[in-house]
Amino acid sequence: MFKSVKHDVWAFDAEWVPDPDAGRLLYDLPAEMPDFEVVQEMWRQNGATEEKPRPFLKYAMSRLVSIAMVTRNQDPQGNVTIDLRVQPRDPDNPDDCDEATILSRFLESVGRRLPQLVGFNSTGSDLPIMIQRGIIKGITAAGFCKRPDKPWEGYDYFSRASEWNVDLMTAIGEWGKARPSLKEMAVLSGIPGKMGGFDGDSVAEAWLDGGIRRIAQYNQHDAVTTYLVWLRIAHFAGFFNDGQYREEQDLVRSMLEEKAKSPENGHLAEYVQEWDRLRGMLGER
């Protein structure tokens, strides 16, 4: 269980796909080979079978395509502001979709603002892929990478004992088959899990089809779910009493409803509807 809730909390989630450029380099594939065929060959080289056609690819061989986060800021007077952000900001703009740009914007913001990061398996997946791909893409993230001489002397996004990266998967305990997924923890708590039949296995196919916007929307859903699960765990741990917990949920709902007024954010209205449905099934209001 985590020990603190900082004044700046960012619940984040990242999405990635097999990187065709990495496949061409590592497996000496022709430059003119289509991305789809390169990705298929990458899976084949890494042990694809009929039962498991898409085996795990090392993070270094994967391209990060989206990062979404819910931010919670509490000012000195105790006022809380909630926001939802995503990279790429404009999925139709190739410059915004550039992997180095996505990584630079996120890690530079982290290094400047020094938020408490919250993720689900962030220690085992989201942060490692950002670090490995950031090195490969040649970006600089000095603020994010800075470490204190002693653990108690400052922020540290690399130490497993640090409170600056809260991995909810570790916080809820258990290992192996006994450990619930984010979807399982969420849905059983009245929080939307995966929606519309779109899940992590759908991301690579969507990216190959040019569906960056759909991936960014899915990424936002997961970031909101991660944040709401964090809220529930924080309530369980005593950081919020019952009234405060309801107020914090209301802030998230108001933020989503406000953003859903924009035509491009209809997916957030769908999220709120699913949230209401699940809460209704559990008898919550």
Side-chain angles (χ1 to χ4, degrees), residues 107-108 110-112 117 127 131 141-146 155 157-158:
L107 294 179
E108 188 278 329
V110 171
R112 176 167 44 84
L117 296 178
L127 289 183
I131 293 166
F144 167 76
C145 291
K146 185 178 179 181
Y155 68 94
Y157 294 113
F158 290 78

Side-chain angles (χ1 to χ4, degrees), residues 82-207:
I82 304 292
D83 198 7
L84 173 62
R85 307 173 190 174
V86 66
Q87 299 283 354
R89 298 169 183 170
D90 180 5
D92 298 323
N93 183 344
D95 291 336
D96 258 13
C97 296
D98 177 70
E99 182 183 18
T101 298
I102 292 172
L103 281 165
S104 293
R105 285 175 174 171
F106 180 77
L107 294 179
E108 188 278 329
S109 294
V110 171
R112 176 167 44 84
R113 293 288 302 275
L114 305 181
Q116 183 179 39
L117 296 178
V118 174
F120 197 91
N121 196 25
S122 52
T123 301
S125 60
D126 299 89
L127 289 183
I129 191 172
M130 290 183 191
I131 293 166
Q132 293 179 29
R133 293 300 294 184
I135 294 169
I136 288 169
K137 302 305 291 187
I139 71 169
T140 299
F144 167 76
C145 291
K146 185 178 179 181
R147 303 191 68 183
D149 291 331
K150 299 175 182 178
W152 58 87
E153 290 182 342
Y155 68 94
D156 191 341
Y157 294 113
F158 290 78
S159 172
R160 289 181 179 268
S162 171
E163 283 288 291
W164 293 94
N165 171 35
V166 174
D167 189 337
L168 299 181
M169 194 174 80
T170 300
I172 61 177
E174 295 301 332
W175 295 88
K177 292 182 178 180
R179 171 172 281 168
S181 66
L182 176 63
K183 175 185 176 181
E184 290 165 343
M185 280 296 295
V187 172
L188 294 176
S189 301
I191 299 167
K194 309 300 182 184
M195 296 175 55
F198 197 96
D199 58 21
D201 290 337
S202 309
V203 173
E205 183 177 347
W207 181 77

